[in-house]
Amino acid sequence: MHMRFTFVFLHLTQLVLTCPGLVCLFSADEATGYGPVFEEQPVDTIYPEELPEAKITMNCRARANPPATYKWRLNNMIIDLNEEGSHYSLAGGNLVISNPIKTKHEGKYSCLATNIYGTVISQEGSVQFGCKWPRCEPPFNDGIVPWRTALELHFFCCVSLCAADLSFRWILNEFPTFIPLDNRRFVSQKTGNLHISKVDSSDTGNYSCIASSPSISKSVFSNYIPLVPQAERPIRKYPADLEVKFPETTALIGQNITLECFALGNPVPEIHWKKMGGNLPHSHEVRMAGAQLHLFNVQFEDDGTYRCEAVNSRGKDYHTARVSSNFGCDCSTNGCVSDSKVTKILFLHGPKKHIFRMLQNVILVIQSTITICIYKLCDTFILVSRCTYYVCNKYCPSSACAPTFEHNPVKRVLAPKNRAVVIECRPKAAPKPTFSWSKDTELLSNSTRVFIWEDGSLEILNVTQADEGRYTCYAENDRGKANSTGTLLVTESTKITLAPSNSDVKVGENAWMQCAASHDPSLDITFIWSLDGRVIDLHKDGRHYERTPNGSSNGELLIRNAQLKHAGRYTCTAQTPVDNVTASAHLVVRGPPGAPGGVRVINKTDKSVTLQWSRGADNHSPISKYTIQYRDSFSRDVWKNAPTSPVDVEGNAETAMVVDLFPWTEYEFRVIATNTLGTGEPSSPSPKDKTLKAVPVVAPSDVGGGGGTSRELTITWTPVQPQYYYGSNFGYIVAFKPQGDDQWMKVTVADPQANRYVHKDSSIPPSTEFQVKVKAFNSEGEGPYSLTAIIYSAQDVVDSRALSATEAIVSWLPLSQIHICLCMYQLKYWRNQEDSEGGAQKVVVSSQENHTRLEGMKPNSHYLVEIQGYNSAGFGPPRRIHIHTKKAPPSRAPKIIRKKLKGKSVNIAWEHVEPLANEASINGYKVLYRQQGQSTGTVYITNNRYIDLPLPPDGRYVVEVRARTDGGDGAVARIDISGGGVMTARSLGVLSLLLVALLCLNL
């Protein structure tokens, strides 16, 4: 037998060290190596078939040293990732399913993480495929519901049950106007159905259900269902009738659950919740105007029968069902793998007491919050707790045994006078024993005041001082008998001597809730206060709550600086170790109104909108007025008070018209309620909405202009601000005419941001006076013109002309020097096509000059000239002009054909020069007559091809002949003349020697 225990011990040692979740797992700080521990495990996944990305990812990640390797199982079968055509692949430990197919890939997946210390198996995560969402049909054929039969309206929200995490909302008429939920309207989150307790005219409209599922990131809308209530007077009154009832419910320990109840009736019923035989759990919350009871973090002590009651002035209805709790475990999903066999291991937390339960072949012992797993191996159990292993004796449920009170004797019990008391008798025995009781020496039997329960407990009703004494429980079965004795002591009952009374205060005032009680002097007493069933934490909310210390018989509660949230039903519980009593009162806190809801635009024009909203809470003081505020697309962060019609919006209104708005502008609106106690919080903003279009009414301002480049008319204006566009396709119409003309010229400028228009016309004289005006237009029409302005066309600011084939002259109007000293002008010029600006020639001119000559230019070329002023602050804006140089002069010199003396003169003749194709045409000839050695002399201009010159009396003279063109003077022919009449001729042209010879022959 000892060897068997040794084997079990070693086997479980390996399992425990590899199990994910046992507190005994080694960490990296405790050992150099350790088994896998899951950090991420697969979860249930729903794959919608219409998902654009055809892929499912199941997550798995484990911490381990050395690192873990991973395998996956589908429905407990290992997946072969290397199978040909497999849809599976691994990404780290994650399983990726590509192009999933419902018939192949739907099922339960689990992950196995392995290293040298062992293998752990994850929880299972299911893969389900999405399904179609059926359409909803109205519950009535024509959607018209007569009032006499529509005390309750039941709309079915038809959805698929393939998504377990659906939430439901209902729309009235249009998205996102959701049905407000109150004591008259209820949407079940179990079925999605909409229930209306009492239909009235405000319910008229078209209804649509929205079902949303976070797990598949999908929401669907049903078809719209019309509802038109038919009036019938007088309206009958009906008693409360529960329509929605919660079923018997079993919850896992630590789980949250929701119970639903909703009733029909006229007047609209109120819903109240109770737990039979006790108080509602501290961790409960009532929602949806009483229709839902939420229980958070369910524990064993929350087990019991719960009741919902629906009450109105005509009657009441109630429903009860049991709520049970159970362990949150699944033997098939958590465990360890060893030698390909699964040993079931459970990891749980339970209430703070010992609990023994059989679960298949595993017994759980839960003490405080420590879980102990007991594994049944043959007839022996192994206990595992915090890495300590114990071998225990046989546990009674596995075999018969006589009754024993060794571990659970009858206890000493205190009971309050005139109340009921239960004395427990819980021996361990198998099979179940029979029970009997005695008081002192008297044998007890069932009566109208004394009961022996089937489980052995003794109940005594209306106990008195005479019931004090020693009580003995006797237990007997076929294996033996046993007994145990306890004592009953009767104490004075606790009674409320000063109950709290209803109170009415304003926000910011203090309120007192009195409470005092009498109790047995041998017992301690404490007072517990709750608000609407939730215990007040005096430490956490000490700013608003204060009371006398425990131990005093006075439990008065001070509510300091009361706020709206402090209103409600206050319950004082006077509690001793034996009993407790309660008394309640209501606190009304009056304050500024709550925020209105559902603000939306229901009608609009170009300059106004009609708003509708739902009233918020008046907080016990009637609403006196509403303030409407707006913000537009041009001032998103600023809320402004809106002008309305009428000016004052009364407190009973739920619609208002906002006026004086801008056309074609996007607005948001909010509503603020005011009463005599102040102004409340604003509503949520309405959906953004844009007013209608209209013709512009604002004209551009600051119309002017003038100046600019020669032969131009520059018109300028300040653009219209966007809020005045009033419509799409916004632009400007520019009109202008010379002073005195009757006909306006008009030009359309389509850019809404434009601020100038330049009209070019070579026929415009400089400094001509013009009248100009500008107006706006949009898709709806044209607005008014601006005021007419007088402007002038440009002066000839810069002038230029080519002087020849290689020279040009540029002149300009001097720049203004009012504000800053102008030092120089710089001119750059370059051939526009052949050269780059980087190779431009530069000329610097003093600021005192307004012209300069450009030299070294190429004949017959298009030049770009840039002029700009500059000083120590830098260069000013440049102005550019174009110059085209003239063709080159003839490259061939005139041919002198005659030199003849005529008395005191000499006659010189030459042949006409024929220019080449790229040379300038001949305009005449220039003859220079000068004394040799001098650079100046007499210049003669002639259109003839000869000239008579005076014969010099003495000395030597030179005659030079050139052709004249617009591009300059051509090549030179030269001849010398002496005072004695003897001449030698020479040409400085290409054939100079030949010309000299010809002159000599002619002489």
Side-chain angles (χ1 to χ4, degrees), residues 104 933 1002:
K104 289 186 177 181
N1002 290 331

Side-chain angles (χ1 to χ4, degrees), residues 59-81:
N59 295 328
C60 181
R61 186 176 75 252
R63 184 176 72 251
N65 185 17
T69 58
Y70 299 90
K71 291 182 180 180
W72 281 82
R73 300 191 310 185
L74 170 58
N75 298 329
N76 291 323
M77 298 292 292
I78 294 294
I79 297 173
D80 184 359
L81 299 173

Side-chain angles (χ1 to χ4, degrees), residues 53-54 91 101 113-114 216 276 278 367 396 479 513 606 608 669 727 762 772 804-805 861 869 974 979:
E53 183 183 23
I101 301 170
T114 303
I216 61 176
M276 308 304 291
Q367 180 178 9
C396 282
R479 293 301 180 98
M513 284 288 174
D606 57 341
S608 68
F669 301 93
S762 60
V772 296
S804 66
S861 296
R974 182 175 296 168

